[in-house]
Amino acid sequence: MRRLIVIALVLGLATLAAGLIATRPSFVHGTELAGLTGDAGAGEAVFWAAGCASCHAAEGATDAARLVLAGGQRFASDFGTFVAPNISTDPVHGIGDWTLAQFVTALQNGISPEGRHYYPAFPYTAYRLAERQDLADLWAFWQTLPASDTPSLPHEVGFPFSIRRAVGAWNLLNLSDEFVVAGDLTEQQARGRYLSEALAHCAECHTPRDALGGLDRSAWMTGAPNPSGSGTIPALTPDRLRWSEADIAAYLNDGFTPDFDSAGGHMVSVIRNMAMLPEADRLAIAAYLKALPSDE
Amino acid sequence: MTNRIRVLAAATFAIIGVGATATIAQDLPAPVQARQGQFQIMALNVGILGGMARGNAEYDATAAQTAADNLVAISMLDQSFHWPEGTDNMALDGTRALPAIWENLPDVVEKWGAFGAAAEGLAAVAGTGLEPMQAALGPLGATCGSCHDAYRAPQ
């Protein structure tokens, strides 16, 4: 009996240790990024495509106010309410004193400069797939943005979700280095996939989640309950979204459906971002949506 | 002008209960049907302009002016009977109107007023050429979107 307990203990400790090693924060080092020079102009396009302002600007911000990344917006989930932090260039309240390596580590590994795990309400699971050059450009654009001294507010997340370390285990299940839509894609579809999966994180809203809050990759873009209340976020697979590619691209620009209803909910903010991109990018996203596997 | 509409609307976006209980979509209360019809008429007229703006239809000054005038006319419709309390999407199936509407009536009224102002801006230029019409349609669409963002649930 005693021996059994000892074996169980040893096994338990070993599993724990393996878990801790596997979930240990991993940093991107400056040397990996040494060859990159950021271009602020190109970074602006990355900024809009990636939708940073939709979460980090003040609720309902429009026009120039969308460049003030003071935080404060609240995101309800099954695990509690997350509050977007200040990520402006303020060195005290924002991320003004960060390095490019710290920025990339946050965006692609979900790890803070102190080694804490971020919650996946911050879509680093998507940004993980972004090109490093794009992130260097984004960081160059960042340097042109205003500072805000609004303090960040704490999340309202209860135990056990308040244990950030647990996110490390979640990451083992949900952090992927592969695009979801695979197979032969045209150049345009591949561009659309990059924009949609790596930057604009369309799936964060349009894909259902499993019990742990991870995206169900087998039901990609097949629609999902609306996390912030009632209603359903529509499916975008070609069997359900029957709009033409031109209609999809136009909606992403002017916000009107083919029946000239006007988009609502969180899609309004997404469209504000998409409208800042070149038309070719909106058409590429439309082409990608038409290449999605259908949901039977 | 716009100010007067706003005051009027504020005075009349009144709260009249219909004592509605959970109803199925087929027999929605008349006020809900009426407001949805009103929005359908708006979409129809925006569609005339949007079709031209997107290049799907040829620009037609008379049609563009008529559509813009219709939008102004709708923006002046007194809204008091369309929004009785108890007709939100928690109380009824078949409506996408969020309860937040009744918690923020002054803001809803302001957003309706913004739609009216944008419609007037559009009507001032819609018949004068494709480019001015396109330029004025964007701000109009933004007023639809900002109200749907805050007060309408997805399907």
Side-chain angles (χ1 to χ4, degrees):
Chain A
M1 185 64 198
R2 242 188 100 176
R3 245 187 76 206
L4 262 181
I5 292 176
V6 171
I7 291 173
L9 248 173
V10 168
L11 275 177
L13 280 176
T15 319
L16 193 74
L20 285 180
I21 290 163
T23 64
R24 197 163 52 193
S26 79
F27 293 95
V28 175
H29 294 285
T31 47
E32 292 172 58
L33 306 168
L36 300 177
T37 317
D39 174 78
E44 177 171 5
V46 177
F47 178 77
W48 295 120
C52 316
S54 291
C55 292
H56 288 281
E59 181 88 58
T62 52
D63 306 318
R66 304 191 79 220
L67 297 175
V68 183
L69 304 174
Q73 273 192 62
R74 301 163 62 81
F75 306 96
S77 78
D78 291 347
F79 312 101
T81 298
F82 298 96
V83 188
N86 180 335
I87 55 165
S88 76
T89 46
D90 188 280
V92 178
H93 297 285
I95 60 169
D97 64 353
W98 284 24
T99 63
L100 172 63
Q102 288 172 327
F103 186 68
V104 173
T105 302
L107 285 161
Q108 300 209 290
N109 294 356
I111 303 289
S112 80
E114 301 80 37
R116 279 182 312 140
H117 285 280
Y118 289 124
Y119 292 112
F122 170 25
Y124 58 82
T125 43
Y127 301 145
R128 185 169 184 83
L129 299 169
E131 300 290 343
R132 293 253 159 107
Q133 179 61 54
D134 279 355
L135 297 182
D137 292 343
L138 179 61
W139 187 236
F141 175 65
W142 220 259
Q143 309 315 316
T144 70
L145 295 177
S148 156
D149 59 5
T150 308
S152 297
L153 298 171
H155 304 306
E156 291 151 26
V157 182
F159 186 82
F161 305 113
S162 49
I163 305 178
R164 283 182 180 268
R165 196 64 194 252
V167 177
W170 187 91
N171 284 344
L172 290 179
L173 299 170
N174 292 290
L175 260 192
S176 169
D177 292 325
E178 306 290 334
F179 288 106
V180 173
V181 174
D184 276 343
L185 297 186
T186 65
E187 201 176 306
Q188 189 192 34
Q189 289 165 338
R191 172 73 183 155
R193 177 178 68 178
Y194 177 69
L195 289 163
S196 308
E197 292 193 22
L199 299 182
H201 58 274
C202 317
E204 289 287 320
C205 295
H206 286 280
T207 298
R209 292 174 186 276
D210 61 27
L212 290 174
L215 294 178
D216 179 353
R217 294 164 73 95
S218 69
W220 196 245
M221 304 276 244
T222 58
N226 181 10
S228 59
S230 47
T232 308
I233 299 183
L236 301 181
T237 48
D239 56 330
R240 309 271 294 281
L241 181 69
R242 294 172 182 274
W243 307 354
S244 71
E245 289 181 33
D247 281 343
I248 295 172
Y251 172 84
L252 294 173
N253 184 39
D254 64 20
F256 291 121
T257 69
D259 303 327
F260 289 91
D261 188 352
S262 157
H266 285 312
M267 196 58 203
V268 172
S269 169
V270 175
I271 290 167
R272 283 192 193 119
N273 300 333
M274 294 298 121
M276 305 295 282
L277 300 182
E279 177 70 4
D281 278 349
R282 288 186 292 269
L283 284 165
I285 293 174
Y288 163 75
L289 294 185
K290 291 295 176 195
L292 289 173
S294 281
D295 157 44
E296 294 88 6
Chain B
M1 181 63 184
T2 344
N3 260 339
R4 228 190 76 222
I5 297 174
R6 245 181 232 155
V7 173
L8 258 179
T12 53
F13 239 103
I15 313 169
I16 313 163
V18 287
T21 47
T23 325
I24 47 167
Q26 288 90 312
D27 50 53
L28 279 169
V32 178
Q33 294 187 30
R35 73 186 180 222
Q36 291 180 345
Q38 159 183 281
F39 287 121
Q40 291 293 344
I41 298 173
M42 286 158 65
L44 182 65
N45 285 280
V46 170
I48 301 293
L49 297 155
M52 297 177 199
R54 286 182 176 182
N56 299 341
E58 207 164 314
Y59 175 72
D60 171 341
T62 314
Q65 189 63 54
T66 306
D69 290 344
N70 283 345
L71 289 167
V72 174
I74 295 168
S75 76
M76 295 172 78
L77 271 188
D78 181 296
Q79 294 292 310
S80 46
F81 308 127
H82 300 179
W83 304 94
E85 216 166 90
T87 61
D88 58 78
N89 73 336
M90 294 294 168
L92 294 175
D93 281 342
T95 172
R96 294 159 71 188
L98 290 171
I101 290 172
W102 289 269
E103 291 152 20
N104 302 283
L105 278 178
D107 184 55
V108 181
V109 169
E110 195 178 308
K111 287 186 159 57
W112 183 256
F115 154 61
E120 281 181 31
L122 180 61
V125 297
T128 66
L130 177 61
E131 276 180 22
M133 185 275 277
Q134 283 171 320
L137 187 60
L140 178 92
T143 67
C144 317
S146 91
C147 192
H148 292 172
D149 182 1
Y151 299 117
R152 188 178 74 169
Q155 221 109 45

